[in-house]
Amino acid sequence: MERKNPFGNNPFPGRGILSGMSALPGAGNMNSGVAFGENSPYKDEKEDEEMTDEMIRDFIDGIVIRKEEWTTTHPNHIKCGSDDYYTTLANTISIALLPVNLPKDAPEGIMFEIAMSCTAYLEDLVSGLGVWNAFRNIYRRKYGKWLPFYDCEHEDYLLDNVNIEDVKFIVWQCFCRCGQLLDTVYSPFSPAVDEISSIVYNIIEEKFEDAPECTRVRDFIRRVMKKGDYFEVRMLAEWLVVDNKLISSPNMEASIHEEAEHLANSQDSISEHIASYFVRSVKAWSEKIGPLGCSASVYLAEMGRESGYGNLAAKLDNLKCISVALFRVKEVGKNVIVLEDAGGECYDVEKNSFGKGTRFKEIKGYMTSIVKFGDLWQQNGMATGLTVDPFEKENLQTTYHENEKSHEWLNQIVVRNGGKRIYYCRDMKEVSSILGVPHKGEEALDEDIDNFVLMLSEDEGMVVLQNYAQVFKDKGNPFYNKKEAKEDSLGLIAKGLVPEDVARIIVEKGLLPEAEMSASQGKRFGKAIVQDNMLFLFGFFRSKNPKVDY
């Protein structure tokens, strides 16, 4: 019998505070309620103190959004005549949210993210940039509706206008992305989401008819898509990964800066500028980003289709990325250089992608990233040339990417075990036995590790998780514990490490029946939020605030 949807199609009476679930195993529930108004228990006890000039300046700096900040949300940081308007709108939203009293443990920077993201939503719709529509279109193809959580199947939900459901989703996304630093999952039906969304929606709904189009950005995106040059398309991908407020995660720019600084400090021959270029180039395609937890190529392909650039969309649909690997130079032709990895697989790389003036005569190999875009691979970012064969030294042979041979090996294990892709093990010795590899003795393991879950993904390879077997209600799993499953199932989802094809198996077989969020509306309601949106939540949490380290 099909379970009835407790959400229905009507507004929810008596929406209460929903507790978030910790994203880490065994940490229990974490309250994420928000109180409003003069009776808020979180009212600042120092608010009646006289404010100094310095305190006032700090306060203003904390809420004022500057035009320079808004400009960075555009591809290539393009400046537009509409920037003043949207900067003012972002500040209007920021100021309107000041009366909202948040708990002391609310995510840092949440109001800034909400103001910027909701303003970006209006600019995107008014200007026809296509990012929001791309997300909705992809979501509808995958799940049969426009958005997760909320009922959008009614006549008041308009694809070419602002919608309260859209705003609620964006506000919820901001809470979750910022809240990942607190290991907290926020409910899409919390009073914070409801109240803030109402305030924001009333502002942008009034502005929709008069808001100016950001024509320079729209025309720039379309020119890049029409031309189809790989490096310009990659720049659009970098925009989605790093700067676009509907797709990118907070702190991505800061994370790139830190990685680049570390790379430059560890390599005397690499400047921080070059290191930053390399890190951004790799992240453009390798990161799981946005609400769908997928590559930027997926969003860009949909944007291309919507704009009539089918050829570009086809290239992006079939795009492949090898983040960083060692390659031997096999052959240097007039237009193509053939690179070979340590597994013997060869790649035809466009010669011009190495940059004009590159000398190949004395180079025996490269450490670089390559991306397949159309019929040829492209050198992606920085390429470090090697004057010796990279595979002559034994210690370098383990640094190549996981190639087709390793996938074949994992698939053989799956076939040998009757198609099984999820295994529950007591220790690493059992994991090694399933994989058919020698166990290297009993390692000194943490006494708190009671079990291991081995996942064999056809797309992403092997994943091993500790202390999560108890959440799987699966035949032959000796570790399942209903009480612990109630506490830890959402933590497994929020950890963001379950591959998409394995997540689909989990959902189709109903292996996480206890996954829920605490809800003041009752256990049935809290469970339905997770159960009815589980596959989406698996994908959503593959994309993380880069400051989160699980």
Side-chain angles (χ1 to χ4, degrees):
M1 179 180 295
E2 185 177 355
R3 178 168 55 81
K4 292 182 179 180
N5 180 6
F7 297 165
N9 293 316
N10 300 311
F12 301 98
R15 290 182 185 172
I17 297 172
L18 278 72
S19 296
M21 295 290 288
S22 169
L24 297 179
N29 295 346
M30 300 180 69
N31 291 328
S32 58
V34 178
F36 303 91
E38 292 299 319
N39 296 323
S40 168
Y42 303 104
K43 191 177 178 67
D44 192 345
E45 297 175 355
K46 298 182 180 180
E47 67 179 0
D48 294 327
E49 292 183 5
E50 183 177 350
M51 295 186 71
T52 65
D53 290 343
E54 184 178 356
M55 292 170 65
I56 293 173
R57 283 194 297 272
D58 289 342
F59 174 75
I60 293 174
D61 286 341
I63 65 169
V64 172
I65 296 168
R66 293 169 174 77
K67 186 165 70 172
E68 292 77 11
E69 290 177 296
W70 176 253
T71 301
T72 63
T73 67
H74 295 153
N76 224 19
H77 296 177
I78 294 173
K79 296 179 180 179
C80 305
S82 58
D83 288 345
D84 284 327
Y85 180 92
Y86 288 107
T87 302
T88 300
L89 176 59
N91 280 307
T92 300
I93 294 173
S94 182
I95 292 170
L97 296 179
L98 283 176
V100 177
N101 290 295
L102 295 171
K104 293 181 180 179
D105 63 348
E108 182 181 353
I110 180 63
M111 292 309 193
F112 173 84
E113 289 298 324
I114 290 173
M116 294 287 277
S117 298
C118 291
T119 302
Y121 163 70
L122 181 66
E123 182 191 58
D124 183 271
L125 285 180
V126 168
S127 307
L129 305 185
V131 178
W132 181 251
N133 281 337
F135 159 63
R136 280 192 302 202
N137 290 342
I138 298 167
Y139 187 88
R140 190 168 183 84
R141 279 202 300 274
K142 292 185 70 168
Y143 304 109
K145 53 184 183 176
W146 293 116
L147 291 176
F149 313 128
Y150 310 112
D151 173 28
C152 302
E153 304 303 319
H154 55 82
E155 61 182 10
D156 292 329
Y157 187 84
L158 305 173
L159 296 179
D160 59 352
N161 207 325
V162 295
N163 299 285
I164 184 63
E165 295 87 356
D166 296 348
V167 176
K168 285 182 178 180
F169 179 82
I170 292 167
V171 171
W172 172 80
Q173 176 174 248
C174 291
F175 264 98
C176 284
R177 287 286 178 252
C178 294
Q180 284 176 324
L181 299 177
L182 304 173
D183 300 333
T184 304
V185 177
Y186 290 83
S187 164
F189 297 103
S190 72
V193 171
D194 198 41
E195 187 76 8
I196 291 172
S197 298
S198 295
I199 294 171
V200 173
Y201 176 75
N202 288 336
I203 294 172
I204 65 174
E205 194 273 337
E206 182 181 341
K207 302 288 187 182
F208 180 77
E209 293 296 335
D210 299 325
E213 295 183 10
C214 186
T215 55
R216 287 196 68 197
V217 171
R218 181 190 62 210
D219 294 345
F220 176 81
I221 293 172
R222 291 180 181 177
R223 280 198 303 270
V224 170
M225 289 189 166
K226 181 179 181 179
K227 186 177 178 182
D229 176 76
Y230 167 73
F231 294 100
E232 292 183 355
V233 173
R234 187 186 69 191
M235 184 273 300
L236 288 183
E238 291 177 26
W239 166 54
L240 293 180
V241 172
V242 182
D243 296 319
N244 183 274
K245 285 298 177 181
L246 297 175
I247 299 296
S248 67
S249 293
N251 303 311
M252 185 60 77
E253 184 66 62
S255 174
I256 289 173
H257 176 75
E258 290 176 5
E259 287 189 41
E261 188 176 44
H262 175 75
L263 178 60
N265 290 337
S266 62
Q267 301 289 333
D268 294 336
S269 61
I270 302 176
S271 68
E272 191 168 332
H273 175 74
I274 294 176
S276 178
Y277 171 73
F278 177 66
V279 173
R280 291 176 72 96
S281 299
V282 172
K283 284 185 178 292
W285 304 119
S286 63
E287 292 294 301
K288 295 179 173 66
I289 66 162
L292 294 168
C294 59
S295 169
S297 61
V298 177
Y299 301 101
L300 286 176
E302 183 62 26
M303 291 169 65
R305 270 186 289 272
E306 282 287 291
S307 300
Y309 302 114
N311 290 337
L312 175 65
K315 288 182 178 181
L316 290 165
D317 282 336
N318 295 291
L319 184 141
K320 296 180 181 178
C321 175
I322 298 175
S323 295
V324 182
L326 279 171
F327 299 96
R328 173 189 288 129
V329 175
K330 184 81 171 179
E331 179 183 337
V332 179
K334 183 177 180 181
N335 299 313
V336 171
I337 176 172
V338 181
L339 299 182
E340 181 184 26
D341 67 18
E345 187 169 352
C346 292
Y347 307 85
D348 294 339
V349 183
E350 187 169 338
K351 198 172 180 181
N352 286 340
S353 66
F354 282 84
K356 294 182 179 179
T358 302
R359 298 180 180 179
F360 301 100
K361 188 175 182 180
E362 298 179 358
I363 300 300
K364 300 292 183 65
Y366 283 101
M367 175 174 282
T368 188
S369 165
I370 59 175
V371 172
K372 188 173 185 182
F373 184 71
D375 295 330
L376 293 176
W377 292 78
Q378 305 286 329
Q379 190 278 130
N380 187 50
M382 177 184 65
T384 302
L386 306 172
T387 56
V388 296
D389 188 322
F391 305 131
E392 285 183 355
K393 295 183 179 180
E394 184 177 351
N395 64 329
L396 292 180
Q397 293 185 2
T398 59
T399 62
Y400 64 92
H401 72 288
E402 187 181 56
N403 57 26
E404 293 297 325
K405 291 185 178 180
S406 63
H407 281 284
E408 290 175 8
W409 169 64
L410 290 178
N411 285 333
Q412 289 172 2
I413 297 171
V414 172
V415 171
R416 189 165 64 240
N417 288 279
K420 192 174 182 180
R421 291 192 175 274
I422 307 173
Y423 305 83
Y424 315 101
C425 307
R426 298 184 183 281
D427 49 38
M428 287 302 296
K429 186 176 182 179
E430 288 189 12
V431 173
S432 300
S433 177
I434 293 169
L435 296 176
V437 297
H439 182 60
K440 297 181 180 180
E442 288 294 334
E443 304 93 342
L445 297 176
D446 191 326
E447 294 180 357
D448 294 332
I449 300 175
D450 298 321
N451 59 68
F452 295 84
V453 181
L454 170 65
M455 299 178 177
L456 302 182
S457 166
E458 186 173 5
D459 302 321
E460 300 181 35
M462 179 176 63
V463 175
V464 180
L465 301 177
Q466 300 172 354
N467 284 347
Y468 274 113
Q470 68 275 7
V471 307
F472 290 90
K473 189 176 183 180
D474 197 359
K475 184 178 180 180
N477 176 19
F479 303 100
Y480 175 70
N481 182 294
K482 186 173 183 177
K483 181 180 178 181
E484 293 180 9
K486 285 180 177 290
E487 297 175 353
D488 299 339
S489 291
L490 187 58
L492 171 70
I493 297 171
K495 198 171 182 68
L497 296 178
V498 178
E500 183 176 2
D501 56 337
V502 176
R504 195 176 296 112
I505 293 171
I506 292 172
V507 173
E508 289 175 353
K509 292 187 175 182
L511 301 183
L512 298 182
E514 306 304 329
E516 63 180 26
M517 290 182 182
S518 298
S520 61
Q521 294 94 335
K523 291 185 177 180
R524 182 167 167 263
F525 186 89
K527 178 173 284 190
I529 294 174
V530 180
Q531 296 294 326
D532 290 355
N533 299 279
M534 188 180 293
L535 194 56
F536 163 74
L537 289 170
F538 267 118
F540 179 85
F541 285 108
R542 288 189 200 104
S543 172
K544 296 185 178 70
N545 185 320
K547 280 194 175 182
V548 178
D549 183 8
Y550 291 143

